[in-house]
């Protein structure tokens, strides 16, 4: 591939490099901490580049996004909601990597 855009980053750097054309680029948006750390240290080797996409939040953009959410134009996908008392289980669920949306921790008092 000429370009790989991966938002989950679960594969090894060598998997990405094998899949890239000689001048290809892989951009990681998020995902596994270990893969992201390795990409930071060893991402650029030869012509095949593995890069991280980082951004600085803009308050105006966040306000615009908030309007979209409040207006119902954008609806978040929630895979599971865990009470704070089940935080370890929520982390296990997230770490398994099989979730199909956000994993939410509820801070509401459930007593």
């Amino acid at each position: 591939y000429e370009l790989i855009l991966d938002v989950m980053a679960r594969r090894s750097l060598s998997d990405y490099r094998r899949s890239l054309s000689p001048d290809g680029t892989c951009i990681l948006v998020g995902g596994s901490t270990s893969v992201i750390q390795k990409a930071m240290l060893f991402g650029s080797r030869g012509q095949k580049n593995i890069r991280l996409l980082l951004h600085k939040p803009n308050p105006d953009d966040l306000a615009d996004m908030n309007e979209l959410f409040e207006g119902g134009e954008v609806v978040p996908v929630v895979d599971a909601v865990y009470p704070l008392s089940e935080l370890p289980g929520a982390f296990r669920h997230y770490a398994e990597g099989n979730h199909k949306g956000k994993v939410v921790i509820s801070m509401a008092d459930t007593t």
Side-chain angles (χ1 to χ4, degrees):
Y1 297 96
E2 292 292 321
L3 175 66
I4 298 172
L5 177 64
D6 191 343
V7 297
M8 294 301 283
R10 288 196 198 125
R11 302 193 185 285
S12 69
L13 295 187
S14 59
D15 285 345
Y16 292 117
R17 284 197 178 91
R18 268 195 308 276
S19 299
L20 289 169
S21 66
D23 293 320
T25 299
C26 175
I27 300 172
L28 304 177
V29 178
S32 163
T33 303
S34 64
V35 172
I36 290 173
Q37 288 173 339
K38 289 174 186 172
M40 290 172 67
L41 295 171
F42 309 111
S44 293
R45 290 214 172 155
Q47 292 175 297
K48 295 182 180 183
N49 289 308
I50 299 176
R51 305 276 185 189
L52 299 174
L53 178 64
L54 305 172
H55 77 285
K56 181 179 178 183
N58 177 333
D60 293 333
D61 291 342
L62 293 175
D64 291 342
M65 286 178 59
N66 189 51
E67 285 181 27
L68 294 172
F69 281 106
E70 286 181 349
E73 295 176 62
V74 175
V75 179
V77 177
V78 176
D79 181 81
V81 178
Y82 288 84
L84 184 58
S85 62
E86 294 180 25
L87 186 63
F91 274 106
R92 278 191 296 278
H93 177 72
Y94 180 80
E96 290 170 357
N98 297 321
H99 54 282
K100 303 290 186 218
K102 298 297 180 184
V103 177
V104 177
I105 308 301
S106 173
M107 303 301 281
D109 185 6
T110 58
T111 58

